[in-house]
Amino acid sequence: MRMSKLFVQTLREYPSDAEVISHKLLVKAGYIRKLTSGVYNFLPLMWRVLKKVENIVREEMDAAGAQELLMPFVQPKELWVESGRWDVYGKELMRLKDRHNREMCLGPTHEEIITSIARDGLKSYKQLPVNLYQIQSKFRDEVRPRFGLLRGREFIMKDAYSFATSQEELDKEYQNMWQAYTKIFKRCGLETKAVQSDSGAIGGSVSHEFMVITDTDAGENDVFYCEHCDYSANSNHAISNLPQVTIDGGFSKAEIVDTPNVGSIEDLSKFLNCPQTVICKALVYIVDKAPVIALIRGDKTVEETKLMNAVGGLEIRIATPAEIEELMKENGFNAIAGFIGPKGLKKYGEYEIKIIADKTVTELKNFVIGINQTDKHLVGANWGIDVELPKQIEDIRLVERGELCPQCGKPLQVTRGIEVGNIFQLGTKYSKPMNAVYLDVDGKAKPYIMGCYGIGVTRTAAAAVEAHYDEFGIKWPIQIAPYHVVIVPVNIKDELQMSVAEKMYEDLKSKGIEVVLDDRDERAGVKFKDADLIGFPFRVTVGKTIQEGLVEYKIRETGEQIQLKPEDALEEISKAIKAVI
Ligand code: ATP
Ligand code: MG
């Protein structure tokens, strides 16, 4: 490809709406352009990168025995009603109606469709196990589309679904996919860590996320891990053991005390001169539409996904002050956040108020708790005497750095990660309600035991930028670079320079190496800048030294720069590419 013809426009500045480096660089270097919120045009350079990622995914999925198919992007409501998800999948599901007023949605994921395909075609145990996958655009009306391709609304995903006759068969396929994923991300130039995770709206029990570890804002997940054993988990799933702390508040009798304007745990602990660990905090949440009160030890934080799972919901948020006011009134109280307690809370609108206690509160003695009166707290409280211990006790606590590893007891560390893929054991979550069954050896109809396995193709490409860049631009890993090499003749009017550059261009092409010849009549500095920004793994500069028969060969990744004969430069490039592809 000649640079003069390449459809690319690099910018002088980063786009003003970009927060993370991959978003900034992909726009500045002319890879993507925003069409509307969370929706991007993939320009030719980007499309080449994405096709490479797709091909790596395809090759490894095929090698692992999975079969590729392609399902429609538009899905009918009926299948979603069958699975039970039409009513529970929130606003992320983009719903629409056709001219006959039939309801449809844009595919955010394809469990319903694949399960319907399986029940039509997989009738006997003899046909199982099977793993089917596709690579396709998905649409999710994300609450907060951001970070460019990392969290878009329309994005490309590889989604695979396996069907098995037993848990053992599923376990085997789960391991098989785990290995395929490890190879895929490695080939994309990414180091990943497989961490235990929450199964969320997709459902199921066992699941792992493949994280690219980062210390930047682009890592939307907190990952807890142990340096002494193999424990690692997303914060929405992580558990830990707590170091021993004071749990006896030491108040000699139960009494209501004035706590004027001390609504925060920090202020309350100072005001009462007691540790935060002896305060029972009560927070009001709305899960789907129902009110939930979460009780947790004062020094700890509620992990919202854990709480949501504890009540079997799909969406969670903290209640607004207005909702709290209303809820209080309805139950005969008058209190604002900071003074809430579980006692006497029954109903809110058509819902019963659920009260969930974190394990940390169960051991409290002579503790401090809100009583639904503003500016008052009860001190010296005890479960079963002053306040009922809620029936539902769960782990709804966010783990913190330094708490103890649940496997080996050493302190846990925390870092951030970009989730590029995940694997889930679904079991019969879809096959049962959708009556997707096969005939087993014993002649009985049984639902398939399913697994599902996703990879964000667009997110993986963006994550590769997050992992490989410098102040000048992108440093693509060779395997997914849009082109391998750029040849830069310093002065296109110099006949010798140009003829050597043209010859190298042809030679590289004939070896199957993807090369761009920067034949623009621009200053060398401009061309170098673009080469670094776009991120070609190798640059060959043909300048004055060609009179001594030498070109300059530069490796983008390391910045290493050497003078070589053109044929030697060609050899070096071939070798480097062969080593990884
Ligand atoms: P997240 O927790 O980041 O929202 P998810 O759990 O919703 O991800 P899945 O439904 O399992 O993700 O989708 C599989 C893969 O698709 C993810 O691992 C991720 O790589 C990618 N993906 C999910 N949502 C987006 C998005 N909004 N933009 C880009 N890629 C996405
Ligand atoms: Mg999501």
Side-chain angles (χ1 to χ4, degrees):
M1 175 57 68
R2 288 172 189 272
M3 197 65 150
S4 57
K5 293 277 179 297
L6 182 65
F7 186 86
V8 62
Q9 196 188 6
T10 57
L11 307 178
R12 272 171 196 278
E13 306 288 338
Y14 288 141
S16 58
D17 64 340
E19 298 164 76
V20 298
I21 196 68
S22 60
H23 187 191
K24 288 178 180 171
L25 284 173
L26 288 173
V27 174
K28 189 173 181 212
Y31 284 79
I32 58 171
R33 288 290 181 264
K34 182 158 99 179
L35 182 61
T36 182
S37 167
V39 179
Y40 289 86
N41 288 305
F42 307 135
L43 301 182
L45 285 177
M46 191 74 227
W47 189 233
R48 289 180 71 93
V49 172
L50 293 174
K51 278 191 293 185
K52 290 192 176 183
V53 175
E54 283 188 12
N55 279 336
I56 290 172
V57 170
R58 187 171 281 122
E59 282 173 21
E60 295 300 339
M61 290 301 289
D62 289 348
Q67 298 172 57
E68 186 173 2
L69 47 59
L70 185 61
M71 292 177 265
F73 177 50
V74 174
Q75 309 183 0
K77 170 184 175 182
E78 288 72 24
L79 286 175
W80 285 75
V81 171
E82 273 190 54
S83 73
R85 281 210 291 188
W86 186 258
D87 289 331
V88 291
Y89 212 108
K91 289 188 178 157
E92 251 182 46
L93 186 64
M94 185 85 163
R95 296 158 211 249
L96 50 139
K97 282 184 185 163
D98 71 6
R99 63 166 72 200
H100 305 292
N101 231 13
R102 284 188 290 243
E103 289 184 275
M104 339 263 270
C105 63
L106 301 183
T109 174
H110 278 69
E111 281 80 10
E112 281 76 4
I113 316 302
I114 201 79
T115 307
S116 81
I117 291 175
R119 77 179 164 194
D120 279 350
L122 296 172
K123 311 252 186 205
S124 158
Y125 71 94
K126 289 180 195 153
Q127 297 168 280
L128 299 168
V130 169
N131 188 333
L132 301 169
Y133 79 96
Q134 64 172 349
I135 299 176
Q136 191 206 33
S137 290
K138 299 276 187 260
F139 193 94
R140 293 183 184 177
D141 203 356
E142 297 273 354
V143 196
R144 266 189 88 193
R146 58 180 182 161
F147 300 165
L149 301 193
L150 286 175
R151 185 165 298 282
R153 293 198 297 164
E154 183 174 318
F155 57 96
I156 301 174
M157 196 205 285
K158 182 284 296 177
D159 43 329
Y161 307 87
S162 68
F163 302 86
T165 62
S166 66
Q167 180 62 38
E168 294 72 58
E169 240 175 47
L170 170 60
D171 285 339
K172 218 168 137 198
E173 189 55 21
Y174 195 76
Q175 285 309 320
N176 185 30
M177 285 293 107
W178 186 312
Q179 277 159 23
Y181 274 37
T182 309
K183 288 185 200 156
I184 287 168
F185 295 123
K186 192 156 179 243
R187 285 182 63 186
C188 292
L190 289 170
E191 252 186 70
T192 52
K193 194 175 181 72
V195 312
Q196 294 178 18
S197 68
D198 167 60
S199 319
I202 293 191
S205 47
V206 176
S207 68
H208 285 85
E209 290 166 342
F210 285 74
M211 296 281 186
V212 173
I213 300 303
T214 170
D215 55 5
T216 68
D217 287 345
E220 291 185 283
N221 302 272
D222 282 331
V223 175
F224 286 92
Y225 67 98
C226 179
E227 287 173 333
H228 302 272
C229 72
D230 65 356
Y231 183 77
S232 63
N234 190 314
S235 59
N236 63 22
H237 193 76
I239 53 174
S240 68
N241 295 325
L242 291 175
Q244 208 62 47
V245 289
T246 319
I247 48 169
D248 187 338
F251 297 95
S252 53
K253 63 174 198 288
E255 60 179 332
I256 293 169
V257 297
D258 285 333
T259 49
N261 297 319
V262 275
S264 79
I265 295 291
E266 207 186 336
D267 292 348
L268 187 60
S269 109
K270 276 189 201 141
F271 186 85
L272 295 173
N273 195 19
C274 69
Q276 295 186 12
T277 50
V278 304
I279 301 172
C280 177
K281 180 158 69 172
L283 298 155
V284 187
Y285 284 92
I286 305 292
V287 178
D288 298 338
K289 288 176 185 146
V292 178
I293 311 283
L295 302 184
I296 193 162
R297 211 172 74 190
D299 60 320
K300 295 295 165 198
T301 307
V302 169
E303 208 305 312
E304 296 188 353
T305 305
K306 285 187 179 178
L307 176 62
M308 184 175 79
N309 290 342
V311 294
L314 285 166
E315 281 183 334
I316 184 165
R317 61 178 177 80
I318 196 102
T320 62
E323 283 167 331
I324 294 178
E325 194 186 326
E326 237 178 274
L327 182 146
M328 283 295 133
K329 259 197 204 136
E330 229 181 284
N331 290 277
F333 299 113
N334 183 5
I336 57 171
F339 301 92
I340 309 298
K343 200 169 174 177
L345 297 184
K346 301 226 152 37
K347 288 199 72 164
Y348 178 47
E350 57 186 287
Y351 299 98
E352 283 201 10
I353 297 173
K354 279 192 189 156
I355 300 174
I356 313 282
D358 182 66
K359 285 178 181 161
T360 50
V361 303
T362 60
E363 293 167 18
L364 294 178
K365 288 188 194 102
N366 305 316
F367 58 92
V368 180
I369 192 164
I371 47 165
N372 301 323
Q373 286 182 50
T374 299
D375 294 344
K376 293 203 188 306
H377 279 90
L378 174 65
V379 303
N382 281 290
W383 297 119
I385 302 168
D386 312 289
V387 200
E388 237 14 83
L389 183 64
K391 286 194 190 68
Q392 197 175 347
I393 294 162
E394 305 272 357
D395 176 353
I396 54 167
R397 175 172 61 84
L398 177 68
V399 168
E400 284 161 34
R401 185 200 301 268
E403 289 178 4
L404 308 176
C405 172
Q407 282 183 185
C408 76
K410 299 269 169 39
L412 288 173
Q413 308 295 324
V414 64
T415 182
R416 282 197 276 181
I418 302 169
E419 177 201 322
V420 283
N422 55 34
I423 53 179
F424 287 91
Q425 296 205 356
L426 295 172
T428 57
K429 158 134 178 137
Y430 294 91
S431 48
K432 240 194 198 148
M434 294 183 70
N435 198 26
V437 297
Y438 66 97
L439 279 186
D440 207 354
V441 195
D442 57 10
K444 286 195 184 130
K446 294 177 188 167
Y448 315 111
I449 318 260
M450 291 172 56
C452 78
Y453 318 89
I455 288 182
V457 169
T458 39
R459 188 182 282 180
T460 297
V465 177
E466 293 286 336
H468 304 275
Y469 72 94
D470 63 12
E471 69 261 47
F472 306 112
I474 305 172
K475 303 204 269 186
W476 285 113
I478 297 169
Q479 304 89 312
I480 61 170
Y483 289 91
H484 301 131
V485 191
V486 61
I487 301 175
V488 182
V490 170
N491 177 2
I492 62 161
K493 293 189 183 107
D494 182 302
E495 264 175 44
L496 180 59
Q497 285 184 23
M498 215 39 205
S499 70
V500 171
E502 289 278 2
K503 175 151 190 325
M504 282 195 80
Y505 177 57
E506 293 304 329
D507 288 349
L508 283 163
K509 273 202 297 186
S510 70
K511 281 183 175 268
I513 292 169
E514 299 164 19
V515 53
V516 170
L517 173 65
D518 197 342
D519 57 345
R520 293 175 300 168
D521 189 7
E522 289 280 2
R523 282 184 296 112
V526 171
K527 297 191 200 183
F528 292 160
K529 243 186 167 167
D530 279 345
D532 281 351
L533 179 61
I534 291 170
F536 302 100
F538 306 106
R539 188 181 86 196
V540 175
T541 309
V542 189
K544 282 198 181 119
T545 55
I546 195 60
Q547 283 166 0
E548 293 121 55
L550 296 174
V551 296
E552 184 192 271
Y553 164 64
K554 185 176 175 196
I555 303 171
R556 179 78 180 89
E557 177 65 36
T558 58
E560 196 186 328
Q561 212 164 308
I562 42 173
Q563 306 240 312
L564 288 174
K565 287 190 208 139
E567 57 271 29
D568 293 340
L570 215 134
E571 196 49 42
E572 285 295 319
I573 293 168
S574 286
K575 260 201 309 202
I577 294 172
K578 274 208 194 100
V580 293
I581 291 181

